[in-house]
Amino acid sequence: MDGDWLKLPLILLYSILFLVIGVTVVLAAVGKSLGIRKLYINTLILIFEFGKTKIERYEKERGHREPRESECQDDSDKPADKPTKENGEKTLIQRDIAIDAFQGIHIPSNRADYDLTNLKKEFHISDIMYFAKCGVEAIIEDDVTKCFSAEELRTWNFLTRTTHGHQFISVRLTVLWCLGCLFRYLFLPFRLILLCIGLGWLLFSTAVIGVLPDIPLRRQLNRYASLVCHRILCRACSAVVTYHGRENMVKNGICVANHTSPLDVIILSCDNCYSLVGQRHGGFLGLVMKLLARTADHIYFERSEVKDRFIVAKRLREHVEDKNKLPILIFPEGTCINNTSVMMFKKGSFEVSDTIYPVAIKYDKRFGDAFWNSSKMGMVQHIFDLLTSWALVAEVWYLPPMHRSENESAVDFANRVKKEIARQGGLVDLSWDGQLKRMKAKESWKSKAQDDFSKILKVE
């Protein structure tokens, strides 16, 4: 009899858990929400603001207590303000470079012997030091490799792994951190159950729909099954996604977006159904790709195989010409960037179609880091980090379709689309190739600066 009373709370707990999971799955299936996640996000924002105020007050008080070396110095000895970039971001150094807008040649601004009219000058042995200085500046203020690491937060979000060197400030903040850690990891089983349900639905639906003939019914079932699957997976991450410009959503053709994580596919597939183009992967991600390939015409390739590029281009053209097939989702950067920048778009997809549907994705880093650094962690570790974060908050902008102009090259068209995505998402537009994460700089890139400099030398 006593044992039955002990089992009662456990039975009640399981009943509540399965009820919540059932309601969550049903709401995900019909694409509805009770607004609980938005209330949760707003509550987190209030907690973050409280923590920010406490930390700022602590740093201000500590600054008043600690003696300042500048008080013992004359005004002439005070260090100058730190240089800033055009966007207001603090930099370590002031790079003394003037850029000729017409030629794109880097010219030191303090050299009077440059003839800017015809860009011809006499060679000086000191020019060697200028290139050496530019190299040192590039190492100190590197705009490329920092795109492949987690973005730094300006304020603490009560996640230890996103703030290094945090120290004790107050009892209240410590208690909040402990409660937050307890909440996130106690909530982990619920998220894992939703993840398993989403993957189980993917396995079941693709197995059933995959044996059906290619008829309109199969396409309708595939669309509904895909939406349900990805919405459940989003619920597992407590995702709150805001979509803008749905009237511009692609129905047929090529859709391109900036790339932060494989999770980008889930975010976009909660609102539409796509065929994917991407590199083959192994492990857990490879398994998911194989399941998806059962019901839709996805295009996977090996980046190292040259012949695959021609096959992909051919299949892309055939896919776009078939109006009955799903729109194609492509990430032209070819790798994951930390959602601060947009790097060079590969021109392949822009050669296939003259009409492109751009999409900009921006994550709110305060609630968790969506960036997947594939060189440092596997897909399972990345998923675990997401499931133990606060939430996944993102905004998606469907931009108006962009058309290739007459006599416009595929490269120029790709750069124009990239610029528009960066502008809408508030990202930095970089011209560097994202594959620098995996390979060394090409010799042609290294020699370009030398060639540009040689063109402006006076030759007798």
Side-chain angles (χ1 to χ4, degrees), residues 73-78:
Q73 297 176 349
D74 296 333
D75 292 343
S76 58
D77 297 331
K78 291 182 179 179

Side-chain angles (χ1 to χ4, degrees), residues 1-15:
M1 191 69 178
D2 294 337
D4 295 337
W5 282 104
L6 292 175
K7 292 180 182 178
L8 185 60
L10 193 60
I11 294 174
L12 183 61
L13 179 62
Y14 282 139
S15 300

